[in-house]
Amino acid sequence: QKEVEQNSGPLSVPEGAIASLNCTYSDRVSQSFFWYRQYSGKSPELIMSIYSNGDKEDGRFTAQLNKASQYVSLLIRDSQPSDSATYLCAVASGYSTLTFGKGTMLLVSP
Amino acid sequence: SAVISQKPSRDICQRGTSLTIQCQVDSQVTMMFWYRQQPGQSLTLIATANQGSEATYESGFVIDKFPISRPNLTFSTLTVSNMSPEDSSIYLCSVVKGATNEQFFGPGTRLTVL
């Protein structure tokens, strides 16, 4: 059984701070890793994908992958109240279906 | 990405009835999936919609309860059959376009069964 674990939160950070969201996965052969943002009442929106060990930056977002530790994280710099949402980690093995974590709720206070 | 629409956006249904949800994409896609998201929960994959053949269902989901069609590369339907209140959920289609396995989600269908 493939599992993806996330702290449910809420993770509360002040505006302008760095928010750090973490995810661990059980399937060692996982090759593709994704972060989705989901606002309340909306569908998930893909914000980052990462396939290789190390960091991948896109604007204020940085995804970090460590396959040896089976760990993937998302850093959000200069957090804004509009970043308040649930962040879902998803993992795939090869060209296959995604397994989602339960998500971490992020609250950014003004 | 792709522009994905779903119909209906929401519905309230009586138990024992069936509802068909449509997913339309603005361009051809490689793969289409159907998910369920129950209140406060994460996404659970129901099945992969295969073009021109039977869908591939995940454990716990069966064709008699969730028949799926995908007649072409831009359209799929999911039917929720013989509904019970436990089927109340958000149903989402997602697509993969091109050679990556990045999935993009439709806006969802919010179903309430009374």
Side-chain angles (χ1 to χ4, degrees):
Chain A
Q1 178 93 9
K2 300 174 184 177
E3 294 184 347
V4 177
E5 300 287 341
Q6 294 181 256
N7 189 320
S8 62
L11 172 65
S12 295
V13 300
E15 183 175 356
I18 297 174
S20 178
L21 303 161
N22 304 314
C23 171
T24 60
Y25 58 94
S26 64
D27 189 355
R28 286 192 168 275
V29 300
S30 298
Q31 297 180 3
S32 306
F33 307 86
F34 307 92
W35 283 99
Y36 287 83
R37 177 176 62 198
Q38 187 172 27
Y39 292 113
S40 180
K42 301 294 186 181
S43 63
E45 173 192 8
L46 179 65
I47 55 173
M48 289 288 286
S49 58
I50 186 167
Y51 304 94
S52 304
N53 278 330
D55 295 358
K56 178 181 178 183
E57 186 175 318
D58 184 0
R60 295 187 296 113
F61 299 101
T62 299
Q64 299 176 318
L65 175 61
N66 184 326
K67 290 186 179 180
S69 299
Q70 295 176 238
Y71 176 92
V72 59
S73 65
L74 179 70
L75 301 178
I76 305 175
R77 290 181 300 282
D78 189 24
S79 295
Q80 301 297 309
S82 58
D83 295 324
S84 298
T86 295
Y87 289 80
L88 300 167
C89 173
V91 175
S93 302
Y95 197 78
S96 72
T97 55
L98 297 182
T99 301
F100 281 84
K102 293 186 177 181
T104 298
M105 181 182 293
L106 173 66
L107 298 176
V108 182
S109 54
Chain B
S1 63
V3 177
I4 307 166
S5 60
Q6 284 186 234
K7 285 196 280 190
S9 59
R10 60 177 62 227
D11 207 342
I12 301 173
C13 302
Q14 297 297 318
R15 70 171 66 211
T17 62
S18 297
L19 176 72
T20 295
I21 303 168
Q22 298 179 3
C23 179
Q24 179 74 57
V25 194
D26 68 336
S27 57
Q28 293 184 352
V29 295
T30 310
M31 302 184 75
M32 297 182 78
F33 302 92
W34 286 99
Y35 288 84
R36 181 172 72 183
Q37 188 173 30
Q38 295 181 306
Q41 302 297 314
S42 189
L43 285 79
T44 301
L45 179 64
I46 297 171
T48 302
N50 299 309
Q51 193 257 330
S53 65
E54 189 173 293
T56 303
Y57 290 85
E58 298 299 304
S59 176
F61 297 96
V62 296
I63 188 171
D64 290 347
K65 175 67 176 178
F66 297 102
I68 288 170
S69 77
R70 188 183 171 192
N72 56 51
L73 294 176
T74 64
F75 184 78
S76 178
T77 66
L78 167 74
T79 298
V80 186
S81 303
N82 187 25
M83 289 184 286
S84 67
E86 291 70 36
D87 294 318
S88 297
S89 188
I90 297 173
Y91 292 85
L92 297 138
C93 72
S94 74
V95 305
V96 172
K97 192 171 181 180
T100 74
N101 56 356
E102 293 179 340
Q103 287 190 28
F104 300 94
F105 285 85
T109 295
R110 183 179 295 272
L111 171 62
T112 301
V113 183
L114 303 178

